[in-house]
Amino acid sequence: MTGLQNKVAIVTGAGRGGRGIGQACSEMLSSAGCRVVVASRTLANAEAVVAVITANGAEAMACSVDVSNAESVESMVSATLDRFGSVDILVNNAGITRDNLLMRMSESQWDEVLDTNLKGAWLCMKAVTRPMMKQRSGCIINISSVMGIIGNAGQSNYASAKAGLFGLTKSVARELASRGVRVNAVAPGWIDTAMTTDFSDEMRSRILERIPLGRVGSPEEIGAAVVFLCSDHAAYITGQTLVVDGGLTM
Ligand code: NDP
């Protein structure tokens, strides 16, 4: 048994029109038995994912949220508690890129990425902490990136936010461990989603050369890591980062 049956999971950034990591996490947590709150900026995108889940006979709820806004995050958690009565799992997946070389990067490009990718995760964790502490159980997954480990030219904002998630993960894992709440990070390498479709052919082949397994990853390969870390199979794992990158950063 995975212990995921009937658990309530919030997945942020889960409503991409194309196939994103959040959508894969939502569908795979649902297949594992969870009731899923599919949360994204664009409600229609979240509703489309909910339609897929409910067509398979499972329960899910669409929710519009801006993770960089505290009020919006609090109403997402309230709506979850109203509908399902608890929140057991939070997957902080919402993320954006605003790439530019440091010399050319604007302050707003820095702020937007930090506000969504780092502060957004912090706000969502803060909002679920009380219900999770009260029920003395819970599981939080922060979707970071290998760029937070190795850095990337043109992504000083993104890499900083993703590196920040490692410190956030460990600090909150220490704060909440005694209350039965586990907090871990997943660091994907290059995953085939809308975020990476704009890469030029030259950039693609340069990156592929550096991946020992010789291919990009799929959203489902990140979903599998998330489902594992949320399950009872990972009951003794907290404060860790699971790198899923085809060997890129070994
Ligand atoms: P996508 O761009 O496909 O999806 C990102 C999702 O985040 C969208 O649903 C988007 O909503 C949502 N979002 C953006 N801003 C906000 C916000 N302020 N509030 C709520 N939702 C928001 O990305 P991926 O699926 O590729 O990436 C998912 C996560 O994985 C990100 O955190 C990314 O940094 C990380 N990652 C991805 C890698 C890759 O190679 N793809 C590699 C490493 C990490 P909307 O559709 O409404 O815009």
Side-chain angles (χ1 to χ4, degrees), residues 219-238:
E220 289 72 21
E221 286 169 322
I222 305 305
V226 168
V227 171
F228 163 68
L229 285 172
C230 292
S231 76
D232 285 352
H233 296 306
Y236 201 49
I237 301 177
T238 196

Side-chain angles (χ1 to χ4, degrees), residues 6-244:
N6 282 324
K7 289 279 154 71
V8 177
I10 297 176
V11 183
T12 68
R16 196 66 184 201
R19 191 157 177 79
I21 291 171
Q23 178 173 0
C25 290
S26 301
E27 290 177 14
M28 292 171 77
L29 284 167
S30 168
S31 299
C34 294
R35 293 169 286 165
V36 182
V37 176
V38 178
S40 206
R41 247 180 336 194
T42 316
L43 185 61
N45 288 349
E47 284 170 342
V49 176
V50 167
V52 175
I53 292 175
T54 50
N56 289 326
E59 243 189 303
M61 178 179 92
C63 180
S64 162
V65 68
D66 174 359
V67 296
S68 64
N69 179 294
E71 260 177 50
S72 175
V73 167
E74 276 153 25
S75 47
M76 170 184 74
V77 174
S78 300
T80 304
L81 294 171
D82 286 349
R83 166 82 184 260
F84 294 122
S86 69
V87 51
D88 304 296
I89 291 166
L90 166 68
V91 182
N92 279 316
N93 168 77
I96 56 168
T97 51
R98 297 285 182 270
D99 299 353
N100 222 334
L101 294 173
L102 175 62
M103 265 176 60
R104 298 199 193 117
M105 188 175 287
S106 65
E107 210 174 322
S108 67
Q109 286 177 317
W110 170 269
D111 287 342
E112 272 180 62
V113 169
L114 271 287
D115 280 356
T116 301
N117 298 11
L118 183 57
K119 184 180 148 193
W122 179 78
L123 284 173
C124 291
M125 290 167 101
K126 206 167 143 62
V128 299
T129 294
R130 199 180 297 276
M132 284 185 177
M133 280 172 73
K134 240 168 120 185
Q135 71 202 20
R136 300 193 80 82
S137 71
C139 179
I140 299 173
I141 309 289
N142 293 317
I143 305 295
S144 179
S145 166
V146 291
M147 297 315 169
I149 301 170
I150 60 176
N152 196 22
Q155 290 198 311
S156 57
N157 50 0
Y158 183 81
S160 301
K162 294 301 190 181
L165 285 177
F166 299 134
L168 180 62
T169 298
K170 289 179 195 170
S171 302
V172 181
R174 286 186 187 277
E175 284 186 27
L176 300 183
S178 65
R179 306 303 184 101
V181 179
R182 296 183 299 107
V183 188
N184 290 292
V186 171
W190 182 13
I191 309 301
D192 210 3
T193 68
M195 191 176 265
T196 49
T197 45
D198 290 345
F199 287 8
S200 66
D201 287 347
E202 192 208 328
M203 194 167 170
R204 274 177 183 271
S205 51
R206 248 192 303 127
I207 300 174
L208 277 176
E209 271 168 25
R210 292 167 53 201
I211 302 174
L213 288 181
R215 63 174 180 85
V216 301
S218 69
E220 289 72 21
E221 286 169 322
I222 305 305
V226 168
V227 171
F228 163 68
L229 285 172
C230 292
S231 76
D232 285 352
H233 296 306
Y236 201 49
I237 301 177
T238 196
Q240 299 302 310
T241 298
L242 181 49
V243 180
V244 185

